[in-house]
Amino acid sequence: MDIAQAIVMAMQAWGMIGALTAAVFLTIGMDRIDEDAQGAYIFRPLLIPGVLLIWPLVLWRWWQIESEARGWAERYRPVRAGHGAAVIVMSIAIVTIVALGLSVRQEWPADIAPVQLSQGASQ
């Protein structure tokens, strides 16, 4: 088995486990961990692609919420420490990346004439 086949098999296994996780979580788990989602079945198919990709996080968070004894409101209280610094750093990084991307220019070699693809390189 070469590396490409191993990667394809790993992705297939990841997808199958994700599909199983999505089926169980969206039919049973969603109602158990979020009381606002009880009876709301129309939006759940929209969550399938996300659950397929991040199923380990979904399972970990589901287990964490099920095993906690705290109330529903305390579970969803956001963590606010350190977000201000992260916002500033990410904003500076995005502006820097865009500026660097726009400043780097590639020039076409002067001694090579452009050729249409339909004519081919032989002419």
Side-chain angles (χ1 to χ4, degrees), residues 39-117:
Y41 298 106
I42 299 299
F43 80 99
R44 293 183 188 194
L46 299 174
L47 300 176
I48 292 172
V51 176
L52 284 173
L53 293 176
I54 60 168
W55 62 265
L57 180 63
V58 170
L59 289 176
W60 174 75
R61 187 70 178 136
W62 185 11
W63 174 75
Q64 188 180 27
I65 290 172
E66 286 282 338
S67 64
E68 288 179 358
R70 294 186 297 166
W72 182 84
E74 292 180 20
R75 267 189 247 150
Y76 294 101
R77 187 169 298 145
V79 179
R80 300 196 188 274
H83 285 178
V87 168
I88 292 170
V89 169
M90 290 176 69
S91 300
I92 292 171
I94 290 171
V95 170
T96 304
I97 289 169
V98 169
L100 285 173
L102 292 174
S103 68
V104 176
R105 292 184 176 214
Q106 294 181 354
E107 294 184 18
W108 187 261
D111 59 341
I112 298 176
V115 177
Q116 284 186 341
L117 293 177

